[in-house]
Amino acid sequence: EDQVTQSPEALRLQEGESSSLNCSYTVSGLRGLFWYRQDPGKGPEFLFTLYSAGEEKEKERLKATLTKKESFLHITAPKPEDSATYLCAIAGGSYIPTFGRGTSLIVHP
Amino acid sequence: GAGVSQSPSNKVTEKGKDVELRCDPISGHTALYWYRQSLGQGLEFLIYFQGNSAPDKSGLPSDRFSAERTGGSVSTLTIQRTQQEDSAVYLCASSSTSYEQYFGPGTRLTVT
């Protein structure tokens, strides 16, 4: 059974204080690992897809990396507008992606 | 281009009534998913449609829940005899062949 565990559950940062969110997974045959951002009252917004260990993707202050067991979402010099819940999901043997519970990020000015 | 749309955005209903929630996926996306998200909880998978194949209904919590997808496009999620525990945000997502999902804004259902 595919499993996704995200940590920490919640993270508070000061503006400019870089950090990383973790997504650990177990899967039989990874088809893709996905990161989403969800703002309160809205649906998740797709950020990145990673397909194989060693792959990296970047978008503005966000960089996602992938190993065979986990993915990190690195946030460099975050701003208050980066505050959101970040969701990780994997697509493995099933066509239905498995989602983690998310990390709630708050960036204080 | 147009994203995934859902209607209504909010729905308040009395316990025991039936409700229908609608999802318009991105044009050309063959896969469509319904999820439920309760306050502070993760995404709970409900049902998956892929092209003309039989839907995967393995996530539906009870037989009060059903969904259909007409013409490979618009989908309707129906909840019969609503209960208070059905209160949640119902999210629809569509996808092409890459498993990347594009979500709608959701329908917030409140059962009183």
Side-chain angles (χ1 to χ4, degrees), chain B residues 36-102:
Chain B
R36 179 168 70 175
Q37 189 173 40
S38 301
L39 188 63
Q41 301 298 309
L43 289 171
E44 176 188 3
F45 165 74
L46 297 177
I47 189 168
Y48 161 67
F49 295 90
Q50 173 58 267
N52 294 321
S53 302
D56 182 331
K57 305 179 182 180
S58 60
L60 294 178
S62 78
D63 59 8
R64 296 186 295 104
F65 288 72
S66 64
E68 63 177 17
R69 188 178 184 191
T70 54
S73 181
V74 172
S75 178
T76 302
L77 177 69
T78 301
I79 308 173
Q80 296 180 310
R81 305 181 301 282
T82 53
Q83 304 295 313
Q84 288 189 328
E85 59 262 30
D86 299 334
S87 296
V89 174
Y90 290 81
L91 290 162
C92 171
S94 70
S95 176
S96 60
T97 58
S98 60
Y99 301 100
E100 299 167 4
Q101 295 178 302
Y102 294 84

Side-chain angles (χ1 to χ4, degrees), chain A residues 15 25 27 35 43 45 55 58 65 69 82 85 87 92 99:
Chain A
E15 184 171 4
Y25 65 92
V27 67
W35 283 99
E45 174 190 354
E55 189 175 359
E58 286 190 64
T65 62
K69 295 182 179 181
D82 295 322
T85 295
L87 299 170
F99 279 82

